[in-house]
Amino acid sequence: MKFTALKAIGFLLVSALIALPSWTFAKDNNDSNSNENAAETHVQWSYQGKTGPEYWALLSDEFNTCHAGKNQSPINISTAVPAKLKGIRFEYNMLVPENMVNNGHTIQVNIRSGGKITIDDKAFFLKQIHFHTPSEHRIDGTSYPLEAHFVHVSKDNEIAVVALLYRPGPVNTALDPLLKVMPFNVGETTRPGVRDLELFERDKVVKNYFRYSGSLTTPPCTEGVRWIVLQTRSNVNRQQLEAFQYALKHPNNRPLQPLNGRVVVKKIPSAR
Ligand SMILES: [Zn+2]
């Protein structure tokens, strides 16, 4: 969509007026759906043109951090400092999906229950899994065709996101069941079954990861997010990737953000 400046301003004013009541509503009812994209403010934003990433902060006061923030995501991970980090305990024991939504920004599986990770002796509960293509994070400058974000929220509403990068390769059997219920149209919702998430289940301590402090990669770009980028990459084949691309209609990766002196750490291999 192309807007002239005047049209865009008019559009934003109207959007803001329409958005007010529903924002209040969304805030009150966000508990089961707190997520990286929970910014369901109903202010129109996108990945291209005049509502694209470089304009996010102008679209709403709520999005100010997208421009003013100094700890933004995603980033390129080129140097990571070894540190005495504990492994992260994954307890994805019986993932129960709520639904799978194509919200125009991403494809998202909302999770009702069954997923927990422990970081810094603190429990974070899996709320949703969503996808970006191409990847948002890069490692040593390398972009990947697909990135999954596992968004977790603690009881006191802190956010921890685990990023899994997919490289081109053979068919990914964990993704296949989800692709069978892929909502291909924007606004469409489907209902995956419990068995469709079985291959995402794991009960183990993950030791190979990068960690840094960042933000949501979508408006309102809220900071204070614990980012865990897994060093082990998964794989996705061409047909699977095309299914995501077809459903999303456009790339949905926010551009890389400056580190601004932040340090990315990785676990010393020998540390427990
Ligand atoms: Zn994301």
Side-chain angles (χ1 to χ4, degrees):
M1 267 190 291
K2 285 210 165 32
F3 294 104
T4 63
L6 266 179
K7 268 186 189 166
I9 290 166
F11 173 72
L12 289 174
L13 281 174
V14 172
S15 311
L17 285 173
I18 296 171
L20 273 175
S22 47
W23 167 231
T24 314
F25 179 83
K27 260 192 162 168
D28 291 340
N29 291 280
N30 229 358
D31 276 353
S32 65
N33 211 15
S34 309
N35 61 55
E36 204 201 341
N37 297 299
E40 300 298 348
T41 59
H42 303 289
V43 174
Q44 295 286 332
W45 59 270
S46 74
Y47 286 98
Q48 53 205 348
K50 295 294 184 193
T51 53
E54 58 269 52
Y55 297 98
W56 284 352
L58 302 176
L59 301 176
S60 161
D61 285 346
E62 303 273 345
F63 299 173
N64 186 45
T65 309
C66 299
H67 177 72
K70 296 285 183 234
N71 299 303
Q72 292 287 294
S73 296
I75 58 166
N76 175 38
I77 298 172
S78 56
T79 48
V81 177
K84 282 187 180 171
L85 301 173
K86 280 187 179 174
I88 295 173
R89 179 159 193 94
F90 277 74
E91 290 165 273
Y92 284 8
N93 291 322
M94 208 181 83
L95 299 178
V96 179
E98 178 75 37
N99 55 26
M100 187 169 179
V101 181
N102 182 340
N103 62 20
H105 298 140
T106 190
I107 305 295
Q108 181 168 314
V109 182
N110 291 308
I111 306 291
R112 193 181 297 169
S113 61
K116 175 184 158 188
I117 58 174
T118 306
I119 310 174
D120 307 332
D121 296 321
K122 186 171 182 140
F124 293 81
F125 301 92
L126 182 65
K127 294 295 180 186
Q128 48 105 334
I129 307 167
H130 67 263
F131 297 88
H132 297 270
T133 173
S135 70
E136 297 206 295
H137 287 92
R138 294 185 183 205
I139 297 182
D140 292 326
T142 301
S143 167
Y144 290 80
L146 184 69
E147 178 171 344
H149 288 163
F150 298 78
V151 181
H152 306 76
V153 181
S154 68
K155 287 237 156 61
D156 56 353
N157 285 319
E158 291 189 5
I159 298 174
V161 186
V162 174
L164 173 62
L165 297 161
Y166 296 78
R167 56 161 62 104
V171 66
N172 185 303
T173 50
L175 291 176
D176 243 7
L178 290 180
L179 293 176
K180 290 201 172 69
V181 290
M182 173 75 96
F184 281 108
N185 301 307
V186 174
E188 189 183 347
T189 297
T190 60
R191 307 224 166 255
V194 175
R195 302 194 65 170
D196 295 332
L197 289 178
E198 256 177 358
L199 294 177
F200 283 93
E201 293 178 0
R202 62 208 59 215
D203 194 333
K204 65 175 191 178
V205 175
V206 171
K207 295 179 176 176
N208 299 320
Y209 62 87
F210 300 109
R211 178 172 173 177
Y212 76 98
S213 178
S215 73
L216 306 184
T217 66
T218 54
C221 309
T222 312
E223 298 189 332
V225 174
R226 289 167 167 86
W227 274 97
I228 307 295
V229 179
L230 301 177
Q231 289 183 32
T232 305
R233 274 73 128 184
S234 192
N235 52 279
V236 61
N237 81 359
R238 203 169 57 113
Q239 286 83 356
Q240 293 183 309
L241 187 61
E242 282 172 358
F244 280 104
Q245 290 167 340
Y246 181 77
L248 287 165
K249 325 288 183 212
H250 54 77
N252 67 339
N253 61 314
R254 186 189 193 193
L256 292 173
Q257 303 295 305
L259 262 181
N260 292 326
R262 280 175 291 173
V263 173
V264 180
V265 291
K266 62 179 178 187
K267 200 171 131 43
I268 295 172
S270 60
R272 281 201 307 140

